[in-house]
Amino acid sequence: MCANCIAHCFLILPLSIVGEGLCAVIEIDSSYSISATIREASAGDTILLRDGVYRESVRVLDHSIVIASAYLLEGDSSHIIATIVEAELADPDSASCFIVSLPMTDSLTMIGLTLWEGRGTVWHGPSDDWIAGGGLHTNASRVVIRNSRIMNCSAQRGGGIAVMSNTPDSAEGLLDIQYSSLQNCNADRFGGGLFTFQSAAILQFCTMEACTSRESAGGAHLGGYAMMVACTLRQCGGIMGAAVLESDNSLVQGCLFETNGNPWSFQFFGACHLLTLGNVETRNCIFRGNTSNDAAVVIFDFRRFGVPFFSGNVIESHTMLDRVGAVYLWDCQGEFSHNIVRDGYGARGACIVPSGSVFFHHNIFTGNQQDGNSGGSVFSFDNQGPMPGRLDSNVFEDNVGTVFYREAWIPNPPTIDARNNWWGHESGPFHPTRNPDGQGDTLLLSIVEFEPWLMEPPDTSMSSDFRRLSPGVNSTWRLLSVFPNPFNSTLKIELAGFTRQDFKLTLFDILGREQAVVHTGNLSGGELMFEAPRTLAGGIYFLRASDRSAVETRKIVFLK
């Protein structure tokens, strides 16, 4: 071990056994090189960084290592923003904050760091060279990230993070990132926040905010197996929206997509929030608002009969002007079920544009509207092709204008099977010739089979505690960080995911007495500020976050 490291080594612990030796915890400050310390350390050692700015492009090339701030030991989130790795920009070919190329048996773990102002490193791809991974550039390596921030980074691909492999084997490259954020990162081409190529990615309780890409996704472009759980993507801009997933058997679950869009909408037709290709399942997400005139969700080529591929989601407050379709389904099979689509507006109409053999059931379509009677407030079947539409046990209520639309010039239209749905009134849908006394939503097409209809709304819940008619959503929240801790006036509280109406964030003293209610009800990720009241005495307190399904408690200290 190097003399400098030994001089600053404050603790050696038997963390694990590597070969015949013990792993060490080595503390350094910003006057020392992280790369040099890694080379001198042994496999499995932990390098603990004191608060400060480390200006170098850190290379991890030889063996497993853990690199962490004092957050690892203290749990104080202020160490995250105070421990910064800022890339060395003198060599434009190697200007990432971290450059990682490890054997498959080794890995890098980063905990409680901020990666700042990286500009990417050259990677030799299968057909051309890329500048990739402004904050983190990995080649066929396994990386674990916890409670970290990647900020103000950029590259051609993966402005914040790029995880790549030259062979189509996702086992070679893996990113496992949790409780972390990517902010103000951008890419010239793919993945403003995150880009993977022939590598796997697991994202849980992460936030991508104000990230952009001139192509593909502003937030994350995931080109290998991917799992996104309880992530928040907000104000991200890319031609294909906030996120693109293009690998079979991937999953998007419990995520919030909010006010994303395509800044280049006038040049390209794309998506605002999510685009998936292949057998990607999307469950229990919220897609809210948009900043450009594009579809909220575009789904290509889901080809598994009888499999729910889009279920339990909420799409709300989506506005389109000269384009059609908040949800575009291209050549899909399977089930679109238990979703809420509400308060959408399209000048040319239609929230849903289906193509393929899709079974729509137990959805709620309410409060959607379009101008006049051309376009359809909920469905446009212009791209349906020869396969008949099938809809059963859905709720159509308070939609303005005709619910279904199909261009009259399209030859030989198949019958749309819309029997056994609720149309907002027991008298059924209004149809000018077939049901002129109907007081429910309006149908004008002659090719719709709507009899019999339901006399009362169906149960559209997914489980006993997930009542869609409420309407409510599953909670996906987690407390990310509470800082500074100790605090003397203002406490900043970060959450991932979103909460339900029964969520409550409360401050208790050490005797269990409630001292303040910080927040109650719905919340969509982001930050809360708690101003200590003048009557609050100095001492130890507990911040308790809870709803009917989960409880988290953090110990905090108030200095007065």
Side-chain angles (χ1 to χ4, degrees):
M1 191 176 296
C2 66
N4 287 337
C5 295
I6 293 175
H8 288 270
C9 179
F10 81 102
L11 184 64
I12 297 180
L13 297 173
L15 298 177
S16 60
I17 304 297
V18 178
E20 297 180 356
L22 295 177
C23 295
V25 176
I26 307 163
E27 183 182 21
I28 64 171
D29 61 34
S30 58
S31 64
Y32 295 97
S33 165
I34 302 172
S35 298
T37 307
I38 293 171
R39 290 193 297 270
E40 296 294 334
S42 300
D45 283 355
T46 294
I47 299 174
L48 195 68
L49 307 182
R50 293 178 180 172
D51 292 357
V53 179
Y54 297 76
R55 292 185 172 89
E56 64 174 303
S57 292
V58 180
R59 296 179 181 271
V60 185
L61 309 175
D62 302 316
H63 50 68
S64 293
I65 201 77
V66 177
I67 302 176
S69 70
Y71 173 83
L72 175 66
L73 300 181
E74 300 176 17
D76 183 350
S77 301
S78 62
H79 291 298
I80 299 173
I81 59 176
T83 309
I84 300 170
V85 178
E86 182 177 337
E88 171 57 60
L89 304 181
D91 182 357
D93 290 341
S94 302
S96 303
C97 299
F98 277 81
I99 303 168
V100 185
S101 183
L102 288 168
M104 284 185 61
T105 54
D106 292 288
S107 63
L108 165 66
T109 299
M110 298 192 302
I111 303 172
L113 306 179
T114 293
L115 309 190
W116 179 266
E117 292 281 358
R119 293 294 177 262
T121 297
V122 171
W123 189 73
H124 302 291
S127 57
D128 57 357
D129 295 343
W130 308 333
I131 300 293
L136 171 66
H137 173 107
T138 80
N139 176 32
S141 300
R142 305 169 74 85
V143 177
V144 176
I145 301 176
R146 297 289 185 269
N147 302 90
S148 295
R149 299 181 178 212
I150 297 89
M151 303 180 67
N152 298 349
C153 295
S154 62
Q156 290 177 342
R157 303 191 184 211
I161 298 173
V163 182
M164 300 156 295
S165 173
N166 261 316
T167 60
D169 180 1
S170 60
E172 286 193 2
L174 171 65
L175 173 69
D176 178 356
I177 178 170
Q178 297 183 26
Y179 304 104
S180 298
S181 64
L182 295 98
Q183 298 175 315
N184 298 309
C185 296
N186 66 85
D188 293 336
R189 299 194 62 188
F190 302 133
L194 168 62
F195 170 74
T196 67
F197 179 73
Q198 298 184 159
S199 299
I202 300 172
L203 292 76
Q204 300 183 74
F205 305 103
C206 293
T207 298
M208 297 176 211
E209 189 165 9
C211 296
T212 61
S213 171
R214 283 302 300 259
E215 298 181 32
S216 80
H221 185 121
L222 305 177
Y225 166 78
M227 184 174 71
M228 289 179 56
V229 176
C231 294
T232 298
L233 294 91
R234 182 184 288 120
Q235 296 179 351
C236 291
I239 291 174
M240 295 303 172
V244 172
L245 283 79
E246 55 173 334
S247 180
D248 284 351
N249 302 316
S250 293
L251 174 67
V252 184
Q253 179 169 302
C255 295
L256 170 68
F257 296 80
E258 187 172 49
T259 57
N260 301 296
N262 172 11
W264 302 276
S265 183
F266 63 96
Q267 294 177 319
F268 302 98
F269 171 76
C272 291
H273 296 309
L274 175 67
L275 183 145
T276 66
L277 300 97
N279 294 336
V280 179
E281 296 186 33
T282 304
R283 310 175 193 152
N284 307 123
C285 297
I286 293 178
F287 302 90
R288 177 182 296 148
N290 55 298
T291 61
S292 65
N293 188 27
D294 293 274
V297 178
V298 178
I299 301 173
F300 284 94
D301 299 324
F302 190 95
R303 306 287 296 168
R304 295 165 66 188
F305 281 112
V307 174
F309 65 91
F310 195 84
S311 57
N313 303 288
V314 177
I315 300 175
E316 61 185 3
S317 305
H318 193 83
T319 300
M320 296 172 297
L321 298 177
D322 63 331
R323 294 178 181 170
V324 179
V327 181
Y328 262 80
L329 308 174
W330 292 101
D331 196 19
C332 293
Q333 301 166 353
E335 299 180 11
F336 185 105
S337 67
H338 301 92
N339 303 290
I340 298 173
V341 182
R342 63 186 174 198
D343 301 329
Y345 169 79
R348 292 176 57 195
C351 290
I352 313 294
V353 180
S355 170
S357 181
V358 179
F359 178 28
F360 297 90
H361 64 92
H362 296 92
N363 302 288
I364 298 175
F365 304 101
T366 182
N368 304 292
Q369 59 180 307
Q370 48 87 31
D371 293 335
N373 286 323
S374 61
S377 59
V378 180
F379 277 86
S380 171
F381 290 97
D382 284 352
N383 296 324
Q384 183 64 46
M387 301 296 292
R390 184 184 174 201
L391 304 98
D392 188 290
S393 301
N394 299 289
V395 171
F396 295 93
E397 196 163 44
D398 297 326
N399 299 292
V400 178
T402 182
V403 172
F404 295 161
Y405 180 76
R406 186 180 176 96
E407 288 281 3
W409 57 264
I410 298 176
N412 303 316
T415 298
I416 299 168
D417 184 352
R419 295 172 292 179
N420 301 309
N421 293 286
W422 167 253
W423 298 95
H425 194 272
E426 61 184 15
S427 61
F430 169 79
H431 191 281
T433 59
R434 294 166 56 194
N435 194 33
D437 295 326
Q439 299 180 45
D441 282 5
T442 298
L443 293 175
L444 297 179
L445 289 179
S446 61
I447 59 172
V448 179
E449 181 60 61
F450 58 82
E451 298 180 274
W453 56 78
L454 298 179
M455 303 299 290
E456 60 182 20
D459 181 1
T460 60
S461 60
M462 296 188 72
S463 65
S464 60
D465 66 342
F466 190 15
R467 301 294 300 181
R468 306 302 292 168
L469 283 172
S470 299
V473 296
N474 277 343
S475 64
T476 65
W477 62 270
R478 289 291 187 278
L479 282 177
L480 289 184
S481 58
V482 180
F483 63 94
N485 191 13
F487 77 107
N488 59 14
S489 61
T490 302
L491 187 67
K492 188 176 183 179
I493 305 158
E494 288 190 318
L495 292 96
F498 43 84
T499 70
R500 293 183 300 224
Q501 192 61 38
D502 61 336
F503 176 81
K504 189 173 184 180
L505 189 61
T506 312
L507 188 72
F508 291 91
D509 64 18
I510 58 174
L511 298 179
R513 297 174 298 194
E514 182 178 297
Q515 298 297 311
V517 176
V518 180
H519 181 84
T520 60
N522 295 328
L523 187 67
S524 299
E527 301 174 346
L528 289 173
M529 306 299 291
F530 172 65
E531 298 287 344
R534 294 181 178 180
T535 57
L536 191 68
I540 297 173
Y541 293 87
F542 295 94
L543 187 70
R544 185 179 188 269
S546 65
D547 61 15
R548 66 175 179 263
S549 60
V551 176
E552 286 192 29
T553 302
R554 298 289 177 89
K555 178 182 175 181
I556 59 175
V557 177
F558 177 50
L559 302 177
K560 192 168 185 178

